[in-house]
Amino acid sequence: MTRATNGPVAVLGLGRMGTGLATCLLDQGIQVRVWNRSAERAAPLAERGAFAAAHPCDAVEGTTAALCTVDDGEALGAVLRGPDGVLARGPYPGVLICASTVAPEEVVEIAGDLPSVLDVGMLGNRDHARDGELRLFVGGEKRVFESVRPLLETLGKEVVHLGALGSGMRMKLLLNLLMGVEVQAMAEATELAAACGLERQQVLKTIAGSGFASPVMAFKSRRLASGRFDEPDFKLRLMAKDLMLASKQAASVGLNLPLAAAAAETHVRATEQGLGDEDCAAVVRALTPNPGSDT
């Protein structure tokens, strides 16, 4: 069996996905060094044997690969090039794997002239991350990809090299575009049905069991049925960010994507209404006159 890595791996950013990735690596007996802006998130991983670092530059010390799973481009830039960042003590000799969803051009700009950088679009949720069941879409030089393929195959059931740096982000943005539009469409259909007198639970059950429902819609229909959007699988504000990034990508290549633009507008409005840290299915609350009311 091919070894997943020849040395420790750093995981920078311990949100739901980062924590899942670190847990998966620990389960495989791989040495893991972790960092998070709020240090308390590292405690459960430290109890399992991970080294919890005070700064990103400490986390990557002695590692062969570093997975960055922070929220956005600003956070990614700070983790890499900030005063205590990965590059604060000089060039990083391992492979930097940017799994944060940012604009493709931004990951290229942040990477600069670093020789070994990949961007990875991750498809899946925290359970997939923990269980090594993600689908990973990778951009970057082929030689760099091959050097960490065993590591990536530990984390994902499907690992695809797409091409140049930025390709992974392009795939991730279009996938999130589909999810954002699908979930909003289901929320709109459900609100229309309820407003016209149909019973909400029956409508959602019918949608989830129909040929129109994707696995994501079937999954999110349970969120809409319960009206519970806490403990998010994917935060609404991150969906808003990704939809805006997808819309900007479309504009940059001269495409008009009306559905993407409309979904981005709705998600941004929902974020402004204070729903940003709830699950992305909470976009339904931006469709009603009183977004704070129960759905």
Side-chain angles (χ1 to χ4, degrees), residues 232-254:
D233 304 298
F234 187 58
K235 290 182 180 180
L236 191 148
R237 63 179 172 84
L238 298 181
M239 178 61 78
K241 168 188 67 88
D242 292 354
L243 287 168
M244 290 296 295
L245 289 173
S247 296
K248 290 177 180 177
Q249 281 288 294
S252 72
V253 294

Side-chain angles (χ1 to χ4, degrees), residues 12-288:
L12 309 172
L14 299 175
R16 295 176 184 275
M17 296 300 285
T19 298
L21 293 171
T23 301
C24 180
L25 294 172
L26 288 169
D27 286 346
Q28 295 299 315
I30 295 170
Q31 297 180 54
V32 179
R33 298 171 68 88
V34 298
W35 169 86
N36 192 68
R37 184 172 56 184
S38 52
E40 64 271 12
R41 286 197 177 180
L45 293 166
E47 290 176 1
R48 295 200 52 197
F51 175 82
H55 305 290
C57 56
D58 300 319
V60 300
E61 187 174 334
T63 61
T64 56
L67 285 152
C68 300
T69 56
V70 293
D71 278 354
D72 53 34
E74 182 179 358
L76 179 60
V79 164
L80 295 183
R81 299 184 181 277
D84 298 306
V86 171
L87 305 175
R89 297 170 184 167
Y92 176 59
V95 177
L96 284 169
I97 303 172
C98 299
S100 307
T101 305
V102 301
E105 298 80 12
E106 195 167 15
V107 74
V108 173
E109 180 181 348
I110 290 170
D113 58 357
L114 298 175
S116 299
V117 183
L118 299 173
D119 68 306
V120 178
M122 299 188 293
L123 183 61
N125 57 34
R126 56 185 171 179
D127 294 336
H128 296 132
R130 180 197 62 214
D131 297 336
E133 291 291 311
L134 293 169
R135 297 172 65 196
L136 304 177
F137 300 95
V138 188
E141 290 187 28
K142 183 75 170 178
R143 64 165 183 86
V144 180
F145 168 73
E146 292 296 343
S147 72
V148 292
R149 182 198 283 268
L151 172 62
L152 296 174
E153 289 178 344
T154 297
L155 300 172
K157 64 180 180 180
E158 180 182 7
V159 179
V160 181
H161 181 246
L162 297 175
L165 192 65
S167 300
M169 289 302 99
R170 290 187 173 90
M171 180 66 84
K172 176 63 173 178
L173 289 176
L174 73 85
L175 292 170
N176 277 4
L177 166 59
L178 285 171
M179 181 168 73
V181 169
E182 284 184 358
V183 174
Q184 180 170 327
M186 180 169 62
E188 290 186 16
T190 305
E191 289 306 295
L192 176 60
C196 294
L198 294 177
E199 203 277 318
R200 185 185 304 274
Q201 301 298 324
Q202 182 61 56
V203 168
L204 286 166
K205 181 179 178 181
T206 301
I207 292 173
S210 73
F212 302 114
S214 67
V216 165
M217 289 175 70
F219 178 66
K220 292 298 183 184
S221 69
R222 296 195 288 274
R223 285 274 192 185
L224 293 175
S226 69
R228 291 287 304 273
F229 305 112
D230 56 346
E231 298 185 4
D233 304 298
F234 187 58
K235 290 182 180 180
L236 191 148
R237 63 179 172 84
L238 298 181
M239 178 61 78
K241 168 188 67 88
D242 292 354
L243 287 168
M244 290 296 295
L245 289 173
S247 296
K248 290 177 180 177
Q249 281 288 294
S252 72
V253 294
L255 285 178
N256 176 32
L257 302 183
L259 286 175
E265 180 183 351
T266 308
H267 283 74
V268 169
R269 183 168 70 251
T271 301
E272 292 170 347
Q273 291 172 351
L275 302 171
D277 285 325
E278 298 192 11
D279 187 82
C280 63
V283 70
V284 69
R285 291 183 170 167
L287 307 177
T288 57

